[in-house]
Amino acid sequence: MSDIKVLLTRHLPDEVEAAFQEHFDVSLNPSDTPLADDQWRDALQNFDAICPTVTDNIHADLFQGISSPRTRILANFGVGFNHIALSAAGKLGISITNTPDVLTDATADLAMTILLMLARRAGEGERLVRSKQWSGWYPTQLLGTMVSGKTLGIIGMGRIGLATAQRASKGFGMKVLYHNRKPLHAEVQGDLQAEYCGSLEAMLPRCDYLSLHCPGGDATRHLLNADTLSLLPKHAFVINTSRGDVIDEDALIAALQNGAIAGAGLDVYAREPEIPASLLAMKNVVLLPHLGSATLETRTAMGLRVLKNLKAFFAGYSPPDLVSPR
Ligand code: DGY
C-alpha cells in the first residue's frame, strides 16, 4: 500500500475509485458535498494530494496562515479551474492539474442538445405532455424554428467550441462564425467553412444562435452583458455550457423579458445551484443542472485522467495536464 495520502472531495465512478485505491492511500468524503473552509485547511495539512472538482470553491483565503502545507498537488476533476486561486496555491508550491480532452465530445453534445431543445421548443412540449394538458396534434402547435441553414456564432474556439462547430456544420448544415483570441488553422477553418470574426460587434448581429465556449474567470466575466446582448438579433438564442459568470445574468434576464432575444439555454449559472426565479418562470428558456460532462464514460475518463496526473507527479514527472505552475 502506498503511503501517499490522497483525498477525493467527491464520490467518483466506482471504476475510478477502485483504480485510485490500487495506487494510493485514498480517503473519500462520505458526505459527497463541498468541504467547509476548515475541512479544507485540515486537508491541506493532512493529504499529499487533493482531488477537488468544479464546485469546490478554493479561494485565496483558504491558504492564509498556512506556510508549509502537506499538499503538493490539487488534481482537479474537471477541465475548468477558475474555482481555484492559482496564485495563492502557487505561492505555497502547490501544483494544479485539470482534465482536458476527455469531456470535449460530451460537452459539445450537450451544447447541441440545448440548441435543438430551444429551436424545437422541446422543454415546452415535454412540460405540456407531463402536465396532461396536451389535447392532440394541430398544425400551428408549438412551432419552433429550423436549425439547418442557420448561423451559429461561437465564442471561444478551443476544443469544445471546435467540437460544437463540427457538429453544427457537418451534422446540421449550419453556417459557423466564431470569435476567438486567434483564428483556426486555415485547413480546419476551411474544412468547417467557418468564418473568423475579429470582434463580437462583427459577429453577434449575424447570429441566429450563439454558443459560449470560453473559460470562466476575470478575463471573460460578463462578456455577454447588456451592451453585447443588444447586438444580437431579436430572433437569436443564447446557449451557455461554459461558466455562469461569462454572462451577466441580470442583463440576460432583462433581454429575455424585453424580447431583445428569443430564448436562452443554460447549463451553468452565476451562483450555482441558485437559479433566479425569473428564469425558472420563463418558457422560452432551457435550464439544465450543469450536465455538460455527465456521461458515465466521460466522468470515468475524467477520473482516470486525474489519476494519470497524480501518478506522473508522484513518480517525479511533470503531470500531463499541468495548468500551474507553467
Ligand atoms: C468542467 O469540467 O469544468 C465542467 O464544468 C464539469 O464537467
Side-chain angles (χ1 to χ4, degrees):
M1 158 73 91
S2 161
D3 56 1
I4 298 171
K5 284 174 67 66
V6 173
L7 172 65
L8 302 185
T9 67
R10 294 307 175 81
H11 179 46
L12 298 180
D14 292 346
E15 179 187 336
V16 175
E17 290 186 353
F20 264 82
Q21 271 150 355
E22 273 175 36
H23 294 278
F24 296 110
D25 175 1
V26 178
S27 294
L28 305 174
N29 164 16
S31 79
D32 201 18
T33 56
L35 302 184
D37 284 7
D38 54 337
Q39 292 175 305
W40 258 103
R41 291 198 186 90
D42 263 15
L44 287 166
Q45 302 291 20
N46 290 308
F47 291 92
D48 301 292
I50 305 177
C51 304
T53 191
V54 296
T55 43
D56 289 315
N57 178 10
I58 309 169
H59 51 88
D61 289 353
L62 284 181
F63 300 95
Q64 288 259 325
I66 298 180
S67 53
S68 48
R70 175 164 175 174
T71 300
R72 294 169 53 209
I73 179 168
L74 298 177
N76 187 54
F77 179 87
V79 66
F81 48 86
N82 60 311
H83 55 290
I84 305 177
L86 296 190
S87 107
K91 282 187 192 137
L92 295 176
I94 300 175
S95 298
I96 318 284
T97 58
N98 71 342
T99 59
D101 303 321
V102 288
L103 44 68
T104 299
D105 285 332
T107 310
D109 287 349
L110 196 84
M112 290 308 297
T113 304
I114 294 175
L115 188 152
L116 291 166
M117 285 179 74
L118 286 167
R120 301 306 301 275
R121 305 178 64 178
E124 287 176 73
E126 222 229 0
R127 289 192 291 275
L128 182 72
V129 171
R130 284 183 184 277
S131 65
K132 301 198 165 58
Q133 301 296 306
W134 186 43
S135 53
W137 188 92
Y138 60 95
T140 55
Q141 185 177 42
L142 281 180
L143 300 185
T145 185
M146 291 300 287
V147 164
S148 47
K150 298 287 176 70
T151 298
L152 170 65
I154 292 189
I155 300 182
M157 199 52 127
R159 299 175 193 87
I160 300 172
L162 182 58
T164 305
Q166 281 162 339
R167 283 156 173 73
S169 162
K170 294 179 184 284
F172 291 93
M174 300 183 83
K175 162 85 186 158
V176 173
L177 309 176
Y178 69 100
H179 176 63
N180 197 35
R181 270 171 305 174
K182 52 183 188 328
L184 293 167
H185 286 300
E187 206 180 306
V188 180
Q189 180 164 299
D191 180 48
L192 286 174
Q193 298 185 342
E195 188 180 322
Y196 177 67
C197 298
S199 68
L200 291 180
E201 287 72 16
M203 183 173 85
L204 297 182
R206 298 172 60 198
C207 296
D208 300 309
Y209 300 86
L210 175 71
S211 191
L212 307 181
H213 296 286
C214 48
D218 290 345
T220 56
R221 191 178 143 74
H222 292 186
L223 197 63
L224 216 55
N225 53 39
D227 291 340
T228 44
L229 280 163
S230 73
L231 299 172
L232 287 163
K234 281 189 178 356
H235 66 265
F237 293 99
V238 171
I239 296 126
N240 191 11
T241 53
S242 62
R243 282 294 181 265
D245 60 1
V246 178
I247 301 186
D248 175 345
E249 229 165 52
D250 293 338
L252 178 73
I253 291 167
L256 288 161
Q257 283 169 338
N258 302 335
I261 58 171
L266 308 175
D267 187 42
V268 287
Y269 306 88
R271 286 166 290 277
E272 288 178 26
E274 246 176 69
I275 300 185
S278 40
L279 281 179
L280 292 169
M282 286 180 210
K283 63 179 186 178
N284 54 339
V285 168
V286 169
L287 302 170
L288 297 182
H290 204 143
L291 290 180
S293 62
T295 69
L296 179 60
E297 296 92 329
T298 303
R299 293 277 163 89
T300 301
M302 288 165 70
L304 296 178
R305 189 88 174 214
V306 175
L307 181 60
K308 188 173 176 184
N309 281 310
L310 285 187
K311 282 165 63 183
F313 181 84
F314 287 108
Y317 301 107
S318 178
D321 306 314
L322 188 68
V323 293
S324 170
R326 281 219 120 146

